[in-house]
RNA sequence: GCGGGUGUAGUUCAAUGGUAGAACGAAAGCUUCCCAAGCUUUAGGCGAGGGUUCGAUUCCCUUCACCCGCUCCA
């Protein structure tokens, strides 16, 4: 499917518009039009109904370790700044990045040296100087270095200063070695010299892992939107728009426990807007700066957490299929150990083969993460990091005088849980199915788009664009037409329309040829069209036309609402 | 953030240093008894800002947005 076709249909029919379009648009922000808002709302309501309101806490669902309760929450977008400091977002979302002045590539400042250590050019140079250990003090061999620069260096690191201008670059090193015979020269330091052409002006440069060019100073990329609460804007008043809804659930964990009589295991669900100042919003609404999440934090006993993780992974995997995405278009991907987030002991992504991606590439719809007790403990104890043994402990910073204190102090509140039956007290583990509402909407849009052939009035085949939404999420459930605008047909059709509207979104249209009206509804994805015709006047039946098969059948006027209700729920 | 490409009507596309066209779509009317029909009529556009010029949608600069590649994606 051609993405451009979908984008223009979304614009034309009112599914999605660019935000602030009359002013030229704003990168990373999208508005939902009249049809889009119904579609997205139906998706969110399906999620809420299936996960929360419709959940039966009295029986054990297939695949679940036990029965469980579900409850909802709606927390604020702006929260106490300490929430983000303890959650890790404040530190993690302030990425320091460096750009290569030569090849223009962007690299994370804290990754640069690890990347250099694996760069082919650096490895080959280390070999030339017979360096096996990067931190070791080394003997500098100017002849071998020059030879390397002229041969292997030229091929593998073309932008390295010593390759571009060996004489000038080497002169700085010789000068420093003369002035300071005890100069501690290890490989990283030597590589810096080799990346530096004008040391007097620039100081020692860091080489680009990709091409050897010199990198800019680290610059801060802040992925959290900042704002201020209160009229006076100071460092003290700085607050953040939430980059995820999850933290609102964790900080309300105790409130929910104290107010609802829920027992572990149970889940708290929340839908809402989140904000991330993405470096590169791309691919229609797939990566937006303002987006909506549908998140569940499921609290369980640590000993059962793996089973619950599997339950939620499979449950959520099936949900997308139940709403019409075939299994073959989806991928369930378990993260590798080294890919896991700092808190997670297991994560799976549910991905969809979006048409803007290459063949066999998939984009994330939802992540199901086993977060352990990281979040609740963080909000009790303070920001946690993994220590050398791989255990979580409070991150400490050293004050003047060598005293240590927590980097970000937690709330100090007791967020543990006591099991009344066993009298055991513990910090629950958390399974987090975190879905993107806009990504799901986009996936359903992509999946719905079809072009097929349908005959026109003359019997010639014409291309028909039809959005084959699952009836449950279709923006409009049924449209009602009088076949012609006379003989009392409009009045009957309007009565039917009013009856339908009481239960779900319906559309009435009496303008133009009926074929045209059918095609319009095809593009909107309306699953059923009801037509009042001459026979209606005699036997009080109407036709119902199926969007996908184009089949028509007759039902009694009085049965229309019931017939459509059954088919769309 | 970098490099390349593209911005003309709701959509898809033309043309032009001197009044911007088409198709489809939309609206109104007539006609129409089942899949974009016909006839009549109507509305609607050069992404934004600046410069060059007698005059700029066209040339130049800046900016914004979209697409592709790089980078990033907790």
């Amino acid at each position: 499917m051609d993405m451009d076709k979908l984008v223009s249909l979304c614009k034309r029919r009112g599914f999605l518009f660019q935000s602030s379009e009359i002013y030229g648009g704003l990168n990373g922000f999208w508005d939902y039009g009249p049809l889009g808002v119904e579609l997205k709302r139906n998706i969110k309501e399906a999620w809420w109904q299936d996960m929360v309101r419709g959940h039966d806490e009295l029986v054990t669902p297939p695949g679940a370790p036990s029965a469980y309760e579900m409850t909802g929450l709606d927390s604020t977008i702006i929260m106490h700044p300490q929430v983000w400091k303890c959650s890790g977002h404040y530190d993690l979302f302030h990425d320091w990045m460096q750009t290569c002045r030569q090849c223009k590539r962007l690299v994370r400042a804290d990754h640069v040296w690890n990347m250099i250590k694996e760069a082919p050019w650096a490895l080959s140079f280390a070999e030339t100087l017979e360096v096996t250990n990067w931190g070791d003090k080394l003997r500098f061999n100017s002849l071998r270095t020059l030879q390397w620069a002229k041969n292997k260096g030229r091929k593998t690191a073309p932008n390295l200063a010593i390759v571009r201008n060996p004489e000038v670059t080497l002169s700085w090193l010789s000068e420093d070695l003369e002035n300071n015979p005890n100069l501690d020269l290890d490989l990283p330091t030597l590589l810096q010299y080799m990346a530096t052409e004008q040391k007097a002006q620039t100081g020692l440069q860091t080489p680009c892992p990709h091409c050897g060019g010199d990198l800019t100073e680290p610059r801060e990329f802040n992925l959290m939107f900042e704002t201020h609460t209160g009229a006076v804007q100071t460092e003290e008043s700085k607050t953040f728009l939430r980059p995820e809804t999850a933290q609102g659930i964790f900080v309300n964990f105790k409130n929910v426990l104290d107010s609802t009589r829920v027992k572990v295991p149970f889940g708290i669900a929340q839908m809402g807007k989140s904000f991330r100042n993405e470096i590169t919003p791309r691919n229609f609404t797939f990566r937006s700066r303002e987006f909506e999440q549908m998140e569940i934090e499921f609290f369980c006993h640590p000993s059962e957490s793996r089973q619950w993780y599997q339950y939620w992974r499979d449950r959520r995997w099936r949900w997308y299929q139940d709403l019409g995405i075939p299994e073959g278009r989806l991928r369930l991907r378990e993260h590798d150990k080294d890919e896991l987030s700092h808190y997670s002991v297991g994560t799976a992504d549910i991905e969809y083969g979006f048409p803007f991606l290459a063949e066999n590439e998939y984009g994330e719809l939802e992540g199901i993460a086993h977060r352990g007790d990281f979040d609740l403990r963080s909000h009790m104890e303070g920001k946690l990091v993994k220590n050398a043994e791989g255990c979580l402990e409070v991150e400490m910073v050293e004050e003047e005088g060598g005293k240590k204190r927590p980097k970000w102090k937690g709330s100090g509140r007791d967020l543990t849980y006591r099991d009344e039956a066993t009298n055991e007290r513990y910090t629950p583990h958390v399974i987090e199915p975190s879905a993107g509402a806009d990504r799901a909407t986009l996936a359903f849009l992509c999946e719905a788009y079809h072009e097929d052939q349908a005959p026109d009035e003359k019997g010639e085949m014409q291309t028909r664009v039809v959005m084959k939404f699952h009836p449950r999420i279709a923006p409009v459930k049924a449209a009602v037409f009088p076949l012609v605008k006379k003989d009392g047909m409009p009045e009957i059709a309007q009565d039917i329309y009013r009856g339908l509207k009481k239960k779900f979104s319906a559309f009435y249209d009496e303008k133009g040829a009926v074929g045209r009206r059918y095609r319009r509804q095809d593009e909107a994805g309306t699953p059923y069209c009801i037509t009042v015709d001459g026979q209606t006047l005699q036997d009080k039946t109407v036709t119902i036309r199926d969007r996908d098969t184009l089949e028509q059948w007759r039902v009694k006027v009085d049965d229309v609402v019931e017939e459509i209700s059954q088919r769309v729920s």
Side-chain angles (χ1 to χ4, degrees):
Chain A
M1 196 260 291
D2 191 352
M3 200 62 194
D4 290 345
K5 285 185 177 172
L6 179 68
V7 173
S8 76
L9 178 129
C10 284
K11 173 85 190 293
R12 191 158 33 103
R13 285 298 177 199
F15 283 100
L16 280 160
F17 307 125
Q18 225 180 332
S19 167
S20 330
E21 194 193 275
I22 61 168
Y23 288 108
L26 189 60
N27 192 351
F29 296 89
W30 299 89
D31 293 339
Y32 286 84
L35 284 180
V37 66
E38 294 291 339
L39 174 64
K40 184 176 168 188
R41 183 165 294 192
N42 289 342
I43 291 165
K44 290 194 292 180
E45 277 173 8
W47 182 83
W48 193 261
Q49 175 64 26
D50 295 347
M51 296 302 120
V52 185
R53 198 173 283 152
H55 171 70
D56 184 351
E57 78 281 9
L58 304 175
V59 300
T60 303
S66 67
Y68 62 93
E69 293 181 76
M70 286 297 294
T71 182
L73 186 76
D74 187 6
S75 66
T76 58
I77 286 169
I78 295 173
M79 295 191 262
H80 195 290
Q82 198 69 12
V83 170
W84 306 112
K85 289 172 179 166
C86 291
S87 72
H89 289 88
Y90 181 85
D91 292 338
L92 211 59
F93 272 34
H94 287 66
D95 281 344
W96 291 82
M97 308 288 291
Q98 294 176 274
T99 313
C100 173
R101 290 198 178 89
Q102 267 74 35
C103 74
K104 309 295 182 190
R105 283 199 176 88
L106 198 66
V107 287
R108 269 178 66 159
D110 55 342
H111 288 175
V112 167
W113 281 102
N114 284 333
M115 290 170 77
I116 292 173
K117 281 180 190 175
E118 290 168 14
W121 66 266
L123 290 172
S124 113
F125 182 65
E127 203 180 314
T128 304
L129 289 194
E130 293 167 358
V131 176
T132 46
N133 211 332
W134 278 68
D136 286 354
K137 200 175 164 179
L138 57 80
R139 274 165 301 149
F140 178 62
N141 184 322
S142 129
L143 191 65
R144 279 194 187 180
T145 301
L146 276 172
Q147 273 176 350
W148 177 85
K150 277 181 188 155
N151 296 305
K152 278 206 164 162
R154 184 173 297 279
K155 286 176 200 146
T156 54
N159 291 328
L160 200 64
I162 198 160
V163 172
R164 290 181 318 197
N165 193 344
E167 288 75 23
V168 175
T169 303
L170 266 187
S171 68
W172 295 105
L173 181 56
S174 325
E175 192 180 315
D176 285 3
L177 281 172
E178 258 171 49
N179 296 342
N180 182 3
N182 297 323
L183 184 69
D184 227 0
L185 201 60
D186 55 14
L187 193 55
T189 313
L190 178 57
L191 288 175
Q192 285 182 287
Y193 271 100
M194 291 173 52
T196 308
E197 195 174 332
Q198 301 294 337
K199 179 162 175 279
Q201 287 164 28
T202 62
L204 280 183
Q205 298 286 311
T206 305
C208 168
H210 301 284
C211 72
D214 51 315
L215 297 175
T216 61
E217 288 302 300
R219 290 174 297 184
E220 193 178 11
F221 283 67
N222 193 345
L223 261 44
M224 272 203 289
F225 280 96
E226 293 179 358
T227 185
H228 290 266
T229 48
V232 182
Q233 303 201 348
T234 63
E235 190 58 30
E236 301 300 301
S237 71
K238 192 195 274 183
T239 46
F240 306 94
L241 306 193
R242 65 181 175 201
E244 64 170 36
T245 58
Q247 298 304 320
I249 297 177
F250 296 124
V251 299
N252 276 298
F253 174 71
K254 196 167 156 51
N255 284 336
V256 172
L257 272 186
D258 292 348
S259 59
T260 62
R261 299 165 59 211
V262 288
K263 293 187 176 70
V264 170
F266 73 99
I268 304 178
Q270 166 160 243
M271 300 188 294
K273 288 283 180 80
S274 291
F275 303 81
R276 291 179 201 179
N277 213 344
E278 298 284 356
I279 296 170
T280 316
R282 214 37 93 80
N283 292 328
F284 208 18
T285 60
F286 182 76
R287 179 169 297 133
S288 302
R289 289 179 163 141
E290 174 174 340
F291 58 100
E292 192 151 9
Q293 292 183 297
M294 307 186 291
E295 293 196 299
I296 296 168
E297 304 304 327
F298 189 82
F299 301 94
C300 60
H301 191 277
S303 66
E304 288 184 331
S305 64
R306 281 198 185 273
Q307 284 166 274
W308 282 113
Y309 166 70
Q310 284 160 11
Y311 166 73
W312 278 108
R313 183 194 59 198
D314 299 343
R315 173 102 199 266
R316 296 300 307 150
W317 168 247
R318 279 197 313 276
W319 188 78
Y320 292 94
Q321 294 173 32
D322 291 345
L323 284 177
I325 301 185
E327 187 171 354
R329 302 284 299 160
L330 292 165
R331 186 170 77 169
L332 185 64
R333 190 175 67 88
E334 297 271 358
H335 284 208
D336 297 333
K337 277 275 174 283
D338 57 351
E339 196 184 350
L340 293 178
S341 316
H342 54 293
Y343 47 74
S344 186
V345 300
T347 297
D349 281 348
I350 296 171
E351 302 175 323
Y352 174 71
F354 284 100
F356 48 77
L357 298 172
E359 196 80 13
N360 296 320
E361 278 189 30
Y362 293 78
E364 181 186 348
L365 293 176
E366 170 161 355
I368 296 96
H370 184 308
R371 294 173 72 124
D373 58 5
F374 175 84
D375 300 280
L376 289 176
R377 275 185 61 199
S378 295
H379 290 301
M380 284 192 279
E381 303 167 27
K383 190 200 165 191
L384 301 172
V385 286
K386 255 186 190 160
N387 64 16
E389 289 86 51
C391 298
L392 289 171
E393 62 180 24
V394 175
E395 183 175 3
M396 305 300 278
V397 287
E398 209 161 301
E399 285 182 324
E400 278 179 53
K403 263 180 81 177
K404 286 194 169 180
R405 60 167 176 83
K407 185 172 185 193
W408 304 115
K409 220 177 131 195
S411 68
R413 299 298 176 91
D414 184 3
L415 304 180
T416 59
Y417 175 83
R418 191 174 74 93
D419 188 320
E420 305 265 344
T422 63
N423 217 12
E424 183 192 4
R425 184 171 282 281
Y426 60 93
T427 307
H429 277 204
V430 170
I431 311 301
E432 178 193 77
S434 168
D438 305 273
R439 287 183 174 186
T441 305
L442 183 59
F444 285 119
L445 277 168
C446 293
E447 194 56 41
Y449 188 94
H450 283 83
E451 288 178 8
D452 62 13
Q453 301 288 313
D456 66 9
E457 201 186 33
K458 296 169 192 142
E460 285 171 30
M461 297 309 269
Q462 302 283 344
T463 298
R464 179 180 77 131
V465 174
V466 50
M467 297 299 284
K468 296 189 176 178
F469 295 118
H470 187 287
R472 233 184 128 188
I473 61 169
V476 179
K477 307 302 184 199
V480 190
F481 311 142
L483 188 58
V484 289
K485 202 167 43 175
K486 60 183 186 189
D487 300 338
M489 291 181 200
E491 288 74 13
I492 298 170
Q494 283 166 26
D495 276 347
I496 296 169
Y497 169 63
R498 289 190 193 100
L500 289 167
K501 266 196 102 122
K502 285 177 190 152
K503 298 195 80 170
F504 36 70
S505 73
F507 191 82
Y508 175 77
D509 193 357
E510 58 179 31
K511 298 283 171 60
V514 73
R516 176 186 300 261
R517 286 178 265 163
Y518 285 141
R519 293 300 173 84
R520 262 197 287 251
Q521 294 308 312
D522 289 340
E523 280 201 339
T526 306
Y528 301 106
C529 289
I530 295 141
T531 304
V532 172
D533 57 16
Q535 196 180 328
T536 311
L537 306 172
Q538 281 139 36
D539 65 3
K540 291 205 162 81
T541 61
V542 292
T543 64
I544 299 182
R545 173 231 194 217
D546 183 281
R547 175 195 65 197
D548 300 339
T549 65
L550 303 180
E551 278 169 22
Q552 281 181 290
W553 66 96
R554 299 199 77 89
V555 298
K556 290 208 177 79
V557 168
D558 292 339
D559 296 340
V560 167
V561 175
E562 181 57 26
E563 171 94 11
I564 302 294
S565 298
Q566 279 181 11
R567 286 173 176 272
V568 300
S569 58

